[in-house]
Amino acid sequence: MKMKLHRVLSMLASALLALAALSPASAKTLVLEGSDATTFHGAQAGGDTYTEQLWAFMRQGSALPMIVFGTSPIPHADPGTVFTNDLTGLSAASYSALYIQSPGGCCDQNLAGASAFAAQIGAFYAAGGSVAIQDYQGGNWSFIDPVLATPPAGAVMGYNTGGGGPTCTDNEVFNTEGLSKGFTQPPALGCWEHQAYSMAYFGALGFLSLVDSDPAYFGLDASGKALGSAFLALGGSLGTPGCTDPTGATCNGGGTTVPEPGSLALLGSVLLGMLVARRRRG
């Protein structure tokens, strides 16, 4: 019995530690932003502050600069920020985060342009780089992360989404989660919010809302909390690894998530400790 337990513990510890070593880094952050405040309103008081806060949030404390896919100027961007329409050489070793800008800096997402560099963007994210999509409107962005498979009808509302709701509003509220991450409530910018996202769908995928959307989109629950978001974030310092299968039951019921490397390593260490203690007693 002793020998059998010894072998089981040894095998479990080795397997868990190996899995932890192979697990992807958790520093990366995925952001869905229903706003063009960084570009169209970036020179306004409030828009400039939001841009700086977003950049800091996306970089997750890294000294590496941001790279912006697009060429529209973003006032108050870090001096090292690189603007480009060619992501051929995109590397997580050179940049901390990628911002996929709206075409022209306003209103619509740039899925068509980003799709041309799907392999590069997917590899960047997998290697630990953070990615943000400005004015996210839905569609199939799964080349970045499987959670970005095409959402169901009605999960995204606002400008050019086909889902209805306001197309322009300043009634967004930076909630407790957003404030705790370094954001502050901006003043009215003449339209901060263009798109809103249903938390019934995106929350089940592991996304957290940092900005409550205008209630005109998805309404309020019984406690008065907004049922929609204008800024969703996944991973990174939020500790939300996301769902393993956005089209299946694991997201909408089972809640299966990708194990965090730290959790796996901790469990492996505990098992190794048990093994060492047993050897000493023997």
Side-chain angles (χ1 to χ4, degrees), residues 81-104:
T81 301
V82 173
F83 293 82
T84 181
N85 276 327
D86 185 354
L87 296 177
T88 303
L90 181 63
S91 168
S94 301
Y95 302 100
S96 57
L98 166 67
Y99 189 67
I100 302 175
Q101 191 182 78
S102 302

Side-chain angles (χ1 to χ4, degrees), residues 42-129:
Q44 295 177 238
D48 55 354
T49 301
Y50 168 72
T51 300
E52 293 167 4
Q53 294 169 349
L54 176 60
W55 256 231
F57 177 73
M58 291 299 301
R59 290 171 63 181
Q60 295 282 306
S62 172
L64 294 176
M66 291 268 290
I67 185 168
V68 175
F69 180 60
T71 56
S72 296
I74 295 182
H76 304 280
D78 292 347
T81 301
V82 173
F83 293 82
T84 181
N85 276 327
D86 185 354
L87 296 177
T88 303
L90 181 63
S91 168
S94 301
Y95 302 100
S96 57
L98 166 67
Y99 189 67
I100 302 175
Q101 191 182 78
S102 302
C106 176
C107 312
D108 292 292
Q109 66 183 5
N110 194 5
L111 176 56
S115 295
F117 299 96
Q120 291 88 343
I121 297 173
F124 176 79
Y125 181 72

